[in-house]
Amino acid sequence: MSRSFKPWAGALLTTAVTVSLAATSIPSSAADTAASHRHRAGVASTPLVVASGLHNPRDVTVQWDGSVLVAESGSGSGAACPSKPGPPVRCFGLTGSIYKVAGRKKGRVVTGLPSQELVPPGGPSSIYGLNQVEQRWDGSYRAVYGLIGLPSTRTDLGAGSGPLATLSIVNGPVLGDLAAHEAEHDPDAVLGNTLPASNPQRFVRHGRDFLVTDAAANDVIRVRPDGTTKTEVVLPNNALETESESVKAEAVPTGIVRGRDGAFYISDLSGAHNGLGRLWRYVPGGEPTVFATGLSSVIDLAVAPDGDLIALSYSTGSTPGAPTGALNRIDRRTGALTPIKSDTPLTMPTGLDVTRRGDIYITNNSLSNEGQLLKFPAL
């Protein structure tokens, strides 16, 4: 078996419980320039707590009308899930939800979504469920769900688990089954990665299709309108050279956004080694190329008003205990990194989006039932 990173990817990317809006108007160009200047000047900002008590929140999505959606992965069955010797224990429940902030109104607009807790022998538990959500024109919601597993994993979990590891309409049809694609094709096996599993993270539209990152499968999958899937690209493994050995780190793709240049930008974790993460630029029909390096555990991406990229790091490896996150601006032309400072440390952040005026929303303390939605006003 290769030195696979997939089990680690699941524990980090999907939750775990071990550690224990106002409508936005289109800004003027002057406001955009001022916000960008403060980013580059390294001025620290104090985030506002918009919502708290979120249940293992994942991605945050700013809608066209300025409202904000948070994908909550839930808390598994809602009861204690025991640790036992042998295979990991999986506990399933319908505790996931969608949280919405619209002006002064905020609260859960959808509940009862699938959520799985996985407890390895003697190890920390992890929650898998809703990872990203957006509202459609008809008021319904489109979402991607995590899993760490294959279709047989869903079957074993029982009734209600069908959306896990799919791109779906919430409480509606499956649009694309990522777990089934992994079970049938296991695209990254060509790299010597020998542990088939699916854990979809983020999606973005490409014409009538969707491109979905799968952190456990190390690839990006195209989902077509008829529900068929195609391997769009497999991201290469990374390598870490030490004095004693050469360690392979699987790519573990996370965020994906479409840049102002029309290309897609994809972040990878590269084994969560500090500074080893990569940002890829991908034009469909071509091969992905490395656009930026020197990143650490990037979990999500967004596009700033001026076209630069904003990258959210789940961890920087700089402090013991609960991981401390970070924000970086990535120059859209050169790939150069500029830290975005916060005078409040980020703790295990997992989701990111940016409004048209430059406000940054982040889900913080995300591997717990005491998650937060933070807002950095126009940095």
Side-chain angles (χ1 to χ4, degrees):
M1 178 175 172
S2 68
R3 296 196 61 161
S4 173
F5 195 62
K6 289 177 183 173
W8 180 92
L12 172 61
L13 293 177
T14 56
T15 158
V17 212
T18 57
V19 194
S20 311
L21 184 358
T24 305
S25 59
I26 299 176
S28 66
S29 58
D32 279 353
T33 301
S36 296
H37 175 74
R38 287 194 293 274
H39 273 310
R40 293 186 174 88
V43 177
S45 177
T46 302
L48 308 174
V49 179
V50 177
S52 57
L54 302 177
H55 301 159
N56 289 287
R58 293 296 176 267
D59 199 21
V60 53
T61 303
V62 178
Q63 298 288 122
W64 64 271
D65 61 355
S67 62
V68 176
L69 299 178
V70 178
E72 293 182 280
S73 283
S75 53
S77 66
C81 190
S83 174
K84 299 179 180 178
V89 176
R90 298 177 187 260
C91 298
F92 177 76
L94 300 174
T95 58
S97 51
I98 300 172
Y99 193 97
K100 184 175 184 178
V101 178
R104 294 176 179 267
K105 297 181 179 179
K106 55 185 176 182
R108 293 180 177 92
V109 291
V110 178
T111 59
L113 302 180
S115 177
Q116 174 204 213
E117 182 176 1
L118 185 149
V119 185
S125 66
S126 304
I127 301 293
Y128 302 81
L130 197 64
N131 275 336
Q132 180 188 354
V133 63
E134 65 180 17
Q135 192 162 16
R136 302 168 73 222
W137 62 271
D138 61 358
S140 63
Y141 297 94
R142 182 185 295 112
V144 70
Y145 298 81
L147 175 65
I148 279 287
L150 297 171
S152 57
T153 309
R154 293 191 303 237
T155 300
D156 292 341
L157 292 174
S161 63
L164 295 178
T166 72
L167 177 68
S168 297
I169 302 301
V170 172
N171 295 324
V174 169
L175 303 177
D177 191 332
L178 286 301
H181 186 95
E182 173 70 1
E184 181 176 356
H185 302 287
D186 190 13
D188 72 332
V190 298
L191 303 176
N193 304 333
T194 57
L195 186 63
S198 177
N199 186 21
Q201 292 297 307
R202 304 288 188 263
F203 65 90
V204 66
R205 182 178 286 278
H206 182 219
R208 298 181 63 209
D209 301 345
F210 291 92
L211 301 180
V212 186
T213 58
D214 194 324
N218 296 303
D219 54 27
V220 177
I221 302 301
R222 179 178 293 270
V223 176
R224 303 186 181 99
D226 62 1
T228 58
T229 55
K230 169 184 175 291
T231 303
E232 185 73 12
V233 63
V234 177
L235 293 184
N237 294 329
N238 209 335
L240 175 67
E241 300 293 333
T242 70
E243 294 182 0
S244 59
E245 62 179 340
S246 179
V247 180
K248 179 181 75 175
E250 296 183 17
V252 191
T254 51
I256 181 170
V257 293
R258 188 167 193 164
R260 293 288 177 85
D261 60 355
F264 292 92
Y265 291 84
I266 306 160
S267 57
D268 79 24
L269 290 176
S270 284
H273 297 291
N274 199 33
L276 196 63
R278 302 166 294 187
L279 181 66
W280 298 85
R281 184 179 185 271
Y282 173 65
V283 177
E287 293 294 326
T289 58
V290 175
F291 180 72
T293 57
L295 297 159
S296 298
S297 300
V298 175
I299 194 75
D300 208 2
L301 294 171
V303 180
D306 63 359
D308 283 353
L309 298 169
I310 306 295
L312 175 66
S313 291
Y314 166 87
S315 172
T316 58
S318 58
T319 58
T324 299
L327 280 167
N328 280 283
R329 172 179 284 268
I330 303 172
D331 189 283
R332 64 190 174 106
R333 295 183 178 87
T334 66
L337 308 181
T338 302
I340 298 174
K341 297 181 180 180
S342 169
D343 56 17
T344 301
L346 299 177
T347 303
M348 301 180 292
T350 57
L352 163 73
D353 208 354
V354 181
T355 71
R356 290 174 291 181
R357 71 179 298 271
D359 300 326
I360 297 177
Y361 283 91
I362 288 174
T363 50
N364 192 49
N365 198 27
S366 298
L367 305 192
S368 76
N369 282 322
E370 296 300 327
Q372 299 172 312
L373 175 64
L374 303 182
K375 176 184 176 181
F376 290 79
L379 292 179

